[in-house]
Amino acid sequence: VGGGVGCAIALPSAAAFKEAGAEVDVIVGFRNKDIVILEDEFKAVSDNMYLMTDDGSYGEQGFVTAKLQELLEKGNQYDEVLAIGPIPMMKFVCKTTEPFGVHTSVSLNPIMVDGTGMCGGCRVTVGGEVKFACVDGPDFDGHKVDFAELMNRNGVYRDQEGEDEKNHMCRIEKLGKALIQ
């Protein structure tokens, strides 16, 4: 299951599972048709590929979790679900698979900053233990990730980032304006 740019990270995993002889179902999701990527590549490495768009402009309308729920309720048996994408999407994929007892791995590379474990930006509680996505992961058992804590911590600077976004002018823009004057 991949969402948005997370699909690029999911493709090599899907290809490796297929090459190893596994039956591979892929569910990819995007906000709309304009940002769909790697469709042909996923079709080439999957037995079943389901493409979802939030607005229904391409593929099926809905979130990846809706398709996953439908497949699980139909009786599809999965040994492993790999979820890569936005943190809320990964959280709800885990909530979808948990009642069915399907092991679900999440890739927490979206929260990594420096890749050395020094900054602490990718700190996450997994199974009651503090982990760092960049050195201990980035893949974890999604049913053990404390998503509430993770999402809360990731939202700490949301107001400040919003203000900065309003008032920020990048250096190249400043340079361009200076050159015009």
Side-chain angles (χ1 to χ4, degrees):
V1 180
V5 212
C7 292
I9 301 161
L11 182 60
S13 296
F17 281 126
K18 187 68 178 165
E19 190 174 309
E23 185 175 330
V24 177
D25 284 1
V26 172
I27 307 170
V28 293
F30 304 92
R31 280 191 311 276
N32 58 53
K33 180 181 181 173
D34 296 337
I35 58 173
V36 171
I37 59 171
L38 303 171
E39 179 180 4
D40 293 334
E41 291 83 350
F42 273 112
K43 283 180 181 174
V45 299
S46 64
D47 295 283
N48 300 293
M49 202 273 272
Y50 306 95
L51 193 146
M52 311 296 290
T53 52
D54 297 355
D55 66 0
S57 58
Y58 194 61
E60 296 180 52
Q61 182 172 8
F63 296 133
V64 295
T65 50
K67 177 52 78 175
L68 179 59
Q69 180 80 31
E70 175 189 319
L71 294 170
L72 290 168
E73 286 176 353
K74 282 184 180 177
N76 288 28
Q77 300 290 312
Y78 297 108
D79 296 321
E80 176 83 20
V81 168
L82 173 62
I84 304 176
I87 293 168
M89 183 216 78
M90 291 188 286
K91 172 186 175 178
F92 287 105
V93 165
C94 293
K95 286 191 172 296
T96 302
T97 59
E98 197 165 26
F100 293 91
V102 178
H103 185 266
T104 304
S105 294
V106 295
S107 183
L108 297 183
N109 58 11
I111 67 170
M112 295 190 319
V113 179
D114 71 0
T116 65
M118 292 174 61
C119 76
C122 65
R123 185 180 71 252
V124 61
T125 302
V126 180
E129 295 181 36
V130 173
K131 302 285 185 180
F132 295 90
C134 67
V135 293
D136 298 317
D139 299 334
F140 297 98
D141 180 338
H143 297 145
K144 294 181 179 179
V145 172
D146 186 338
F147 280 104
E149 174 191 64
L150 178 58
M151 292 172 74
N152 186 45
R153 198 182 73 251
N154 278 357
V156 166
Y157 297 106
R158 190 166 287 125
D159 292 342
Q160 181 182 341
E161 289 169 347
E163 279 302 310
D164 290 348
E165 184 70 30
K166 288 181 203 171
N167 303 316
H168 176 75
M169 181 184 289
C170 73
R171 289 180 291 209
I172 197 77
E173 236 180 288
K174 287 179 187 175
L175 180 62
K177 287 185 180 203
L179 291 174
I180 291 173
Q181 294 173 351

